[in-house]
Amino acid sequence: MGVRFGYQGMIDDDFVEMHHHSVSNILQRGGTILKSARSKDFRTAEGRKKAVENLRKHNIDAVVAIGGDGTFRGATELYDEYQIPFVGVPGTIDNDLYGTDETIGYDTALNTAMEAIDKIRDTADAHDRMFLVEVMGREAGFIALETGIATGAELILLPEAVKKIEFIKDSLKEVFKVQRRSSLVVVAEGDQTGGALNLAEKLQDDFGKYEMRVSVLGHLQRGGSPTSHDRVLASRLGSAAVEALLNGHYNVMAGVINDKNALTPMHKTWSEKKSINFELLELAKVIR
Ligand code: F6P
């Protein structure tokens, strides 16, 4: 069975019967045939009770939950309250789940953001402008760090590496000192500067002369045909999740660590913090 619109569909009894062929020819598609939702009702005890009633009505004895930490917290609540066995599959562009080197969607988002920033770079270069590009990552800088390196950004700003505004200004002044006339700053939306628009205001007085422009990439990072890397990862983790359930491993997330399938207790996926690679941050400084 598939549940449409995630937990909201569980509450609204929006279940669809699925067969092997239901997933034919979708590997190359963006989005989800089952749809998705951020469910407020599921946060209530009453909503979860309804969800469980519907699971039982359809004789569903275990659930594979695909999503990020919100999805996994919800799954854990269902287990704690009603002992519904779950296995999680990490699906979020933010890559911020402990227990897997990469989450499904992250690589596609990286490549999409990289291509967009390459194009923005052309205008920055043509007009000798300074661009502040905001990429997604509500609380994590994984996308910003890797796209920043891949596009040769002059500065990368992440929530994990907080920078004072004076430091940001000094770094940019250094960039322009070495005869560069255009520059590109990649900012994670969750950065403490408050995102690219706020940062632009703070930089206007000192850098306005470089015809500063802001570009917020937004939801284009969440769609599109998946990269081969994401297709393989999703296939691998989907299969690992089913195997885990068959082998009686519940309330774990199926992930890949050092190229090996790995199961991590569900609560650790959010209680432990996955760190960005600080060596990459150092590398960014060297190659900018
Ligand atoms: O958590 C994944 C994410 O893509 C974040 O990077 C982003 O802040 C958020 O989802 C956007 O969510 P929504 O589409 O609900 O605004």
Side-chain angles (χ1 to χ4, degrees):
M1 300 292 283
V3 189
R4 285 163 38 88
F5 296 101
Y7 293 131
Q8 193 56 46
M10 236 181 233
I11 295 168
D12 297 341
D13 199 9
D14 199 352
F15 291 70
V16 281
E17 203 171 308
M18 297 185 78
H19 305 275
H20 194 258
H21 61 78
S22 307
V23 291
S24 307
N25 206 16
I26 65 166
L27 201 61
Q28 71 282 21
R29 286 170 56 183
T32 153
I33 56 164
L34 282 175
K35 307 221 175 230
S36 186
R38 299 200 191 275
S39 172
K40 286 202 180 90
D41 295 342
F42 194 77
R43 298 209 181 119
T44 66
E46 206 185 317
R48 292 193 293 278
K49 183 165 170 273
K50 189 90 194 81
V52 171
E53 279 166 14
N54 286 328
L55 286 175
R56 293 198 172 129
K57 185 168 100 185
H58 294 285
N59 292 321
I60 293 170
D61 52 10
V63 175
V64 174
I66 309 166
D69 69 319
T71 306
F72 294 168
R73 283 171 206 260
T76 304
E77 271 179 314
L78 273 204
Y79 184 77
D80 290 345
E81 292 169 3
Y82 297 97
Q83 291 73 56
I84 303 286
F86 268 92
V87 169
V89 172
T92 164
I93 62 165
D94 289 0
N95 196 33
D96 58 348
L97 288 170
Y98 180 86
T100 190
D101 291 342
E102 288 188 2
T103 53
I104 301 164
Y106 173 58
D107 188 62
T108 304
L110 283 184
N111 281 285
T112 306
M114 181 188 75
E115 281 176 24
I117 297 172
D118 281 350
K119 289 173 182 150
I120 290 170
R121 172 75 88 175
D122 290 343
T123 299
D125 187 49
H127 289 262
D128 280 347
R129 281 180 182 164
M130 177 168 164
F131 265 87
L132 307 181
V133 184
E134 182 178 303
V135 295
M136 272 187 168
R138 197 171 13 205
E139 281 158 26
F142 292 93
I143 299 178
L145 179 55
E146 290 215 23
T147 52
I149 290 177
T151 57
E154 276 69 32
L155 190 62
I156 304 171
L157 298 173
L158 322 166
E160 294 89 342
V162 174
K163 299 274 185 286
K164 290 215 165 71
I165 191 68
E166 289 313 320
F167 175 91
I168 296 172
K169 285 182 182 173
D170 289 347
S171 306
L172 289 170
K173 281 176 189 159
E174 282 297 309
V175 166
F176 287 106
K177 247 194 221 158
V178 287
Q179 304 212 323
R180 218 164 301 166
R181 306 179 71 92
S182 70
S183 76
L184 205 143
V185 179
V186 173
V187 191
E189 68 172 326
D191 182 65
Q192 50 87 44
T193 51
L197 280 164
N198 280 319
L199 181 61
E201 271 177 33
K202 291 174 194 155
L203 297 180
Q204 183 58 33
D205 286 350
D206 297 75
F207 298 93
K209 59 181 177 229
Y210 296 108
E211 276 197 83
M212 204 164 34
R213 293 286 188 276
V214 171
S215 199
V216 178
L217 298 188
H219 287 80
L220 74 85
Q221 295 157 96
R222 290 182 28 139
S225 182
T227 57
S228 62
H229 185 82
D230 267 333
R231 296 179 198 196
V232 173
L233 182 65
S235 305
R236 200 170 166 181
L237 293 183
S239 170
V242 173
E243 261 182 44
L245 283 176
L246 291 176
N247 292 325
H249 298 296
Y250 304 147
N251 304 309
V252 289
M253 182 191 78
V256 169
I257 299 175
N258 293 332
D259 207 25
K260 294 260 176 300
N261 289 357
L263 299 176
T264 299
M266 199 68 114
H267 69 91
K268 279 200 177 177
T269 63
W270 71 83
S271 62
E272 304 265 330
K273 185 136 175 71
K274 175 162 150 192
S275 172
I276 57 153
N277 184 340
F278 283 93
E279 280 176 20
L280 284 186
L281 202 55
E282 284 306 307
L283 174 69
K285 286 182 207 153
V286 175
I287 64 173
R288 74 179 184 198

